[in-house]
Amino acid sequence: MDAMTQSATAAPPAHGVPRIVIVGAGFAGLSAAKALARAPAQIVVIDERNYHLFQPLLYQVATAGLSPADIAAPIRGILRRQKNAHVMLGSVTGIDLAGRAVILREREVPYDTLIVATGARHAYFGHDEWAAVAPGLKKIDDATRVRRKILIALERAEDEEDADERRRLMTFVVVGGGPTGVEMAGAIAELAKVALAMDFRAIDPTMSRIVLIEAGPRVLPVFPEQLSAVAKRSLERLGVEVRLGVPVTGCAADGVTVGAERIGARTIVWAAGVAASAAAEWLDAEHDPLGRVFVAGDLSLPGHADVFVIGDTAHVADQAGKPLPGIAPVAKQEGKHVAKVLRARLAGRPAPPAFRYRHAGNLATVGRTAAVVDFGFVRLTGLIAWLVWGLAHIYFLIGFRNRVAVALDWLWAYATFQSGARLITEVEVDVAPAAAPEAGARIAATQPGFGGGDDTA
Ligand SMILES: Cc1cc2nc3c(=O)[nH]c(=O)nc-3n(C[C@H](O)[C@H](O)[C@H](O)COP(=O)(O)OP(=O)(O)OC[C@H]3O[C@@H](n4cnc5c(N)ncnc54)[C@H](O)[C@@H]3O)c2cc1C
């Protein structure tokens, strides 16, 4: 153990204590790191981003309700008071199980114990080519890209003379009726039909068409049927068309195919599926069809007591044998559990009982003042559910600044019906390529925009 920590090629010396390397500072990795604050070990947290991201509110960045910095917090800042924690910025590309080292692009980090918590990514059900026209929401870049697409579509519609193209530009399709899809569709509807209602002259944004497509029989399938029905009605009240029981069979820059129907749309948002990170490949481990690594009761990799896999990347079954959902509370509880196992090991105490998830409830919001909450023993809808949803999200956000910023943004939006973060960033766009050649129609520039193909919708 000591020899290994001495021979570190890209990590601070561990000074005789074991080194616990945590890959991923999402909900799972960060909760493990924090719960190991007093452990006699060096905790090395590696992430390819320098910030922890609160993914549940990404859709609000995508729909101009919040700014990216409101829902992200620097990892170094979060762990700055934790003396045994070291943060490394780097992208892991593999794991050398035999040599007990994490492989980054140009260096290796040896470990005594490894916790893999690299989360999930989008899944397009074998149609990866749809990613170019139907971005999902996973990273801040995804959210600002979707925001850009929505706002540019309306800008272009304002200048568009062809009625069919204007219709496509003012049609927004969200694929997937889980919480992300429902929240996204509701937020686009509010943005177009309320916040932007008076901002344009040639078009009427309230005439925008928002379509939510779900292959299953109802939206929010993890909620009780009654709450799914409430959510559907709330969406419809906001003007969202909800299509149930129909899978999307094609996505292109100018629309989606649903059964025999073609819906022309320049903006498609993918909220239909995720798959685990590449951890199963790195570990050459048994995994389920979504790539989630099968783990033992203590969340370790079978046959490797010093390697743990947690969060969206792990397949952990509940008492009924059903895999636990990919949600933040599961990830956090798994992180805490692994920390407990390791603290016991370091102290020479017996291992705690196998991991058991305690479910607190499900929450989803459907626009302003409407939400559904299922705590099992009580189900809430409407304003009260929305308040519970809002308070829960503010409470779970990391960082006092972010909590205050989000609370103030929401209060402002609630009082004024306005969205504050309506900026089109990082794009070179000829707002109306055919119709507006005058100087001044150009917005400054770093990426190809509408005409460029890949980011077209
Ligand atoms: C849009 C959206 C909305 C959601 N809404 C909710 C919700 O309302 N409620 C809820 O409970 N859950 C929600 N979830 C799910 C929840 O966010 C996840 O279950 C949770 O983030 C999983 O935590 P994790 O630590 O496993 O992964 P993540 O939080 O995704 O963290 C993974 C970390 O690993 C890092 N990483 C990945 N690959 C590498 C690599 N190769 N090298 C180095 N670092 C790497 C990433 O940068 C990231 O920081 C939502 C998810 C999304 C995408």
Side-chain angles (χ1 to χ4, degrees):
M1 184 185 292
D2 274 352
M4 177 166 295
T5 50
Q6 297 304 322
S7 69
T9 53
H15 301 300
V17 293
R19 175 180 294 139
I20 300 173
V21 173
I22 301 176
V23 185
F27 288 103
L30 213 48
S31 81
K34 285 174 158 179
L36 287 165
R38 284 160 201 231
Q42 182 194 59
I43 315 298
V44 177
V45 178
I46 306 175
D47 202 296
E48 60 191 4
R49 308 190 288 231
N50 78 333
Y51 57 85
H52 166 83
L53 179 62
F54 192 79
Q55 291 170 1
L57 290 178
L58 260 183
Y59 82 95
Q60 295 220 355
V61 173
T63 51
L66 293 173
S67 298
D70 294 343
I71 62 161
I75 300 164
R76 285 189 189 281
I78 297 168
L79 295 174
R80 73 168 174 263
R81 287 183 211 282
Q82 187 171 327
K83 291 281 180 278
N84 68 350
H86 298 258
V87 177
M88 286 180 69
L89 181 67
S91 189
V92 170
T93 55
I95 290 164
D96 176 1
L97 276 177
R100 298 169 99 201
V102 169
I103 303 162
L104 284 81
R105 288 223 166 88
E106 283 159 4
R107 50 202 173 143
E108 292 190 359
V109 180
Y111 63 80
D112 297 304
T113 300
L114 173 65
I115 303 175
V116 182
T118 39
R121 49 192 169 171
H122 312 301
Y124 287 87
F125 309 126
H127 289 281
D128 288 350
E129 71 280 7
W130 294 352
V133 290
L137 280 186
K138 195 69 200 156
K139 299 185 271 184
I140 282 190
D141 294 349
D142 299 331
T144 51
R145 181 179 173 202
V146 169
R147 180 178 72 182
R148 191 161 65 225
K149 287 164 87 79
I150 294 171
L151 296 176
I152 288 177
L154 290 171
E155 294 293 341
R156 276 197 63 193
E158 175 83 345
D159 286 323
E160 182 58 62
E161 277 161 17
D162 178 75
D164 289 340
E165 178 60 3
R166 197 183 317 125
R167 194 77 205 130
R168 277 191 289 274
L169 287 163
M170 293 178 67
T171 300
F172 304 89
V173 173
V174 179
V175 186
T180 301
V182 165
E183 292 179 342
M184 189 72 206
I188 297 177
E190 284 197 330
L191 177 69
K193 291 173 186 277
V194 182
L196 298 177
M198 293 166 67
D199 288 18
F200 291 83
R201 297 295 171 262
I203 59 163
D204 177 1
T206 66
M207 301 304 289
S208 298
R209 182 179 179 205
I210 296 102
V211 188
L212 175 67
I213 303 171
E214 163 58 42
R218 60 190 175 102
V219 296
L220 300 180
V222 299
F223 284 71
E225 274 186 40
Q226 172 217 354
L227 293 186
S228 293
V230 170
K232 179 169 178 278
R233 278 199 301 277
S234 301
L235 283 168
E236 285 166 347
R237 261 200 301 276
L238 287 172
V240 176
E241 284 175 46
V242 182
R243 302 290 185 88
L244 298 175
V246 277
V248 165
T249 51
C251 287
D254 61 354
V256 296
T257 310
V258 190
E261 189 187 351
R262 177 93 186 145
I263 302 176
R266 287 287 180 196
T267 307
I268 307 166
V269 183
W270 188 259
V274 290
S277 70
E281 279 167 44
W282 302 336
L283 297 164
D284 195 18
E286 297 271 330
H287 58 84
D288 69 11
L290 297 181
R292 293 176 297 189
V293 174
F294 289 114
V295 290
D298 64 354
L299 307 179
S300 67
L301 184 65
H304 296 268
D306 54 352
V307 177
F308 296 84
V309 186
I310 54 175
D312 282 2
T313 275
H315 177 118
V316 182
D318 63 14
Q319 286 91 297
K322 246 176 78 189
L324 294 175
I327 54 173
V330 171
K332 281 169 134 177
Q333 289 181 29
E334 289 176 355
K336 281 192 190 136
H337 183 82
V338 169
K340 205 155 133 194
V341 171
L342 293 179
R343 283 199 311 265
R345 266 189 209 172
L346 288 164
R349 293 194 308 265
F355 174 73
R356 237 179 125 156
Y357 172 60
R358 285 170 304 283
H359 188 57
N362 290 317
L363 301 85
T365 180
V366 197
R368 188 188 164 82
T369 73
V372 287
V373 172
D374 175 26
F375 286 136
F377 62 96
V378 61
R379 292 171 185 173
L380 306 171
T381 59
L383 181 62
I384 178 90
W386 183 72
L387 288 171
V388 170
W389 176 91
L391 287 175
H393 281 71
I394 287 173
Y395 175 77
F396 286 116
L397 263 174
I398 289 189
F400 182 71
R401 192 209 80 90
N402 288 2
R403 288 188 187 133
V404 173
V406 169
L408 288 176
D409 276 347
W410 284 350
L411 275 178
W412 176 258
Y414 184 77
T416 64
F417 291 84
Q418 287 299 304
S419 297
R422 286 171 6 210
L423 309 179
I424 300 173
T425 53
E426 292 170 40
V427 70
E428 177 181 9
V429 163
D430 194 332
V431 177
E438 317 98 62
R442 244 183 142 71
I443 297 178
T446 54
Q447 284 181 16
F450 267 122
D454 70 330
D455 201 10
T456 305

